[in-house]
């Protein structure tokens, strides 16, 4: 019943040193091994986890993490909010709250969503513990073991882990520079329906995709929605980066086109700060009711203190101006990364993100992104291997590069180091015809990475 | 596949008015009804939910909620912590954190647990989004559909809802004034084992039980642990109230007796404030690793801002003295409630809690606690019907009375009103032989109540 990854006690946690990881068997036997649920077999730590622990050392330029640059948030903006949360609104901020979230805060969330063309009622919004938890709650409500979730290939590693934890199968649909390819979606659905597989929803990140960096065109949004309607497939639209555009405003949200067939997820982690763990979900009425109940069962209520902090921040500060600040900051970093890649690795295919945090870089033929990671860390640069973003063990030929956290200068240094690693690999491949390292274990390819790589 | 409670769209959410609730069919059809997971049938709103919305009006004395009296927490204590979280520790407080929680904060948690006789290493602690989420994560890791969880009868309504959401069956084990009855535990296990049922863990609240108010003796803690060892049953010890004792220190935690067979859950909701949603779990090593992974999958990381607020509060304030303040406050309220019950309802059996938030009151023969609730609310007093605390539809003969939130004076008024309702009910019963109201639907007896009734 249990997967091989559990039987040997070889799961690895963030607090273990690299020496404890790898394929060695733990000497500690787990007396409760026969008691775990079947779904627990899907819980396994990434083998790259220990490497990332090393990569967090200050001398390493990490292009791996998805950490927003929170230092750009002025201290004064927080202090006013904290003062109110600890004085006039203290009684409310310290207490349990509604499982759905504070009503006035949900009105403010509707105002933010209106910037993306969404007209919603606060009654249909549920505040969650980050939008990660929103993906978890929706999955809990919809996914039986063996169900299918459609997702772009590649897709967000954290969501792939959630789908797996509910013993669902993620089937990827290819993308190009305009996002998910509608014809590929049609073909995938036809194939799965012919096989009698239950497709529960399409999980999509239409704006500045994580990890691909591309944006779905409005024409495709309409087409994708139309296909899903015809096949009675719900759309789960995950949009943490939508307001962080660089050169031009992205198309309006898929949810702006349809209120009954789309569940929309948003987050304050990227436009404010992740430390409060506040996200939200906008769902059709009946589904929203179930999300509230599932939320109460999971955590009773989202943090009232955190909700009030953000609510007061929104009320008393120029939050639109602050998003402009973030946009300018991340635009400069995107430029630094694209320029460095153009200079250092001009022949490799890459995406050109118009917003968000990520560039998706193709590697030369014969490369393996996961095998190359230890060499990169040795050269003091880190990235996330493409394998993390596929549920099917593929992705060896790509890496995700994040430009959100390091400065433009650090990005330049990081890409230089990366180029050195790639050139050396290329020399080895040219000499030996193949990389002289052991084959990669793709079985654990989508295992849960540490949070700061997401 | 789906339960009847979903097919008619009659689930009720907190934001609906009482007029929308009850048995009437919703006119809105849910187009996604055929897509929900099997487990979603276990998600249903309590029929008493709308009544509790009424009960939150200021003229009603609510003896129903489990809300701590957070106003007793001095404002200055919070302001120092907030100042640090928004200035010197701002970079950390705003960012994503470890899925296990901040290491220094976990050391502080070990210090708190040492007050209950627990000697633990911070590596074995995981910070969670309230201890509710800890119950959810442990359940996710261990429970397959059809598994059995043993729990005291009655037991905490929020945990019963979680076990049900994982499609597990809760089997109750009777208690008396000394807590769980070991002989009853033996017999229950023997019966279940004979039937081939897989028992995954014993869920117990040994100190100042919610809702029963009783405390398990040390002798019984040893005996219960011994029984569980013999049958290879894990113990899940939930202890949110342990430090809030009134007359004498309770026995040390079950976890103090055994580190390999007990998962221990603690919370800052009652000794500090629930608004930050910070709880913790201490688990044997292998289980702890899986809890971290499940936590990361569910929410990425617990709120860093909230952890730092509490960590700084602990470092810079006399938190032990503050717990003494809470103890005195709740002791006075316990006294007020016991005195009022002695005076107003002297013949009814009740527990005499030595700590915590709750008194468990027996009703006269023939009474039904759920049927009586609307009458009580009409008389401007609210309680939680005993049915909420059983997974098997029983509990009609008891109610839970909370003394944590109302003042001693309000408690006196509330019990006076309750006595009036009970005396009138008794008159009706004496006259008609039975209560002239329709029979109660016990099918939804353990449905999820709103968070503030927990």
């Amino acid at each position: 019943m249990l997967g091989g990854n559990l039987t040997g006690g070889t799961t690895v946690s963030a607090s273990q040193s690299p020496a404890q990881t790898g394929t060695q068997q733990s000497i500690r036997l787990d007396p409760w091994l026969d008691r775990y649920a079947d779904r627990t077999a899907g819980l396994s730590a990434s083998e790259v986890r220990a490497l990332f622990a090393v990569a967090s050392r200050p001398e390493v330029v990490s292009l791996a993490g998805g950490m927003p640059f929170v230092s750009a948030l002025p201290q004064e903006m927080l202090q006013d909010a904290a003062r109110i949360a600890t004085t006039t609104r203290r009684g409310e901020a310290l207490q349990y709250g509604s499982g759905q979230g504070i009503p006035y805060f949900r009105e403010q969330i509707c105002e933010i969503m209106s910037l993306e063309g969404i007209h919603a009622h606060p009654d249909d919004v549920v505040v969650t513990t980050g939008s990660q938890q929103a993906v978890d709650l929706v999955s809990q409500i919809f996914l039986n073991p063996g169900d299918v979730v459609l997702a772009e290939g590649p897709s967000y590693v954290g969501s792939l882990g959630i789908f797996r934890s509910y013993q669902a199968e993620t089937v990827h649909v290819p993308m190009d520079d305009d996002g998910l390819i509608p014809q590929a979606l049609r073909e995938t659905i036809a194939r799965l329906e012919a096989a009698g597989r239950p497709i529960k929803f399409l999980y999509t990140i239409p704006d500045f995709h994580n990890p691909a960096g591309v944006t779905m065109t409005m024409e495709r949004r309409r087409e994708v929605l139309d296909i899903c309607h015809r096949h009675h497939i719900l759309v789960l639209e995950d949009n943490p980066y939508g307001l962080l555009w660089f050169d031009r405003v992205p198309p309006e949200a898929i949810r702006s086109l349809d209120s009954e067939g789309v569940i929309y997820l948003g987050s304050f982690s990227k436009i404010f700060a992740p430390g409060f763990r506040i996200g939200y979900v906008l769902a059709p009425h009946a589904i929203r009711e179930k999300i509230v109940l599932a939320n109460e069962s999971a955590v009773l209520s989202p943090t009232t203190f955190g909700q009030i902090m953000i609510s007061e921040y929104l009320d008393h500060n120029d939050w639109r101006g602050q998003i402009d600040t973030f946009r300018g900051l991340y635009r400069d970093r995107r430029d630094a990364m694209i320029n460095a890649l153009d200079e250092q690795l001009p022949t490799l295919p890459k995406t050109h993100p118009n917003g968000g945090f990520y560039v998706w870089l193709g590697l030369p033929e014969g490369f393996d992104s996961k095998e190359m990671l230890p060499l990169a860390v040795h050269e003091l640069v880190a990235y996330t291997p493409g394998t993390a973003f596929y549920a099917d063990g593929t992705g060896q030929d790509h890496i995700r590069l994040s430009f959100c956290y390091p400065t433009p200068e650090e990005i330049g240094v990081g890409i230089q180091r990366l180029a050195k690693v790639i050139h050396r690999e290329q020399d080895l491949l040219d000499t030996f015809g193949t990389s002289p390292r052991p084959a990669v274990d793709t079985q654990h390819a989508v295992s849960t990475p540490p949070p700061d790589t997401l």
Side-chain angles (χ1 to χ4, degrees), chain A residues 138 142 149-150 152 180 185 189 199-206 216 220-230 232-238 253-255 258-265 281-284 287:
Chain A
V138 170
F142 282 100
V149 174
L150 299 175
E152 284 124 357
L180 189 71
L185 178 61
I189 293 172
I199 305 170
K200 286 298 175 72
F201 53 79
L202 166 68
Y203 173 75
T204 179
I205 307 165
M216 199 190 297
R220 287 211 179 159
R221 288 174 200 229
R222 292 186 193 281
E223 201 173 346
V224 163
L225 193 57
D226 180 64
I227 295 167
C228 287
H229 276 183
R230 284 172 197 275
H232 194 44
I233 294 170
L234 199 59
V235 175
L236 182 55
E237 179 179 26
D238 192 2
I254 302 177
R255 171 57 176 74
D258 174 37
S259 62
E260 287 305 311
V262 181
I263 299 176
Y264 178 89
L265 310 182
V281 49
L282 169 67
I287 297 172

Side-chain angles (χ1 to χ4, degrees), chain A residues 4 15 22 24 40 47 61 69 72 80 82 123 133 175 186 204 208 222 241 252 295 322 362 366 406 408 419 436 441:
Chain A
S15 65
Q24 70 183 86
T40 305
E47 333 81 289
V61 172
F69 192 72
D80 280 353
D123 272 2
Q133 196 214 7
M175 318 168 73
R186 274 189 208 95
T204 179
F208 325 129
R222 292 186 193 281
Y241 309 103
E252 294 194 334
N295 201 17
Q322 180 58 36
D441 166 23

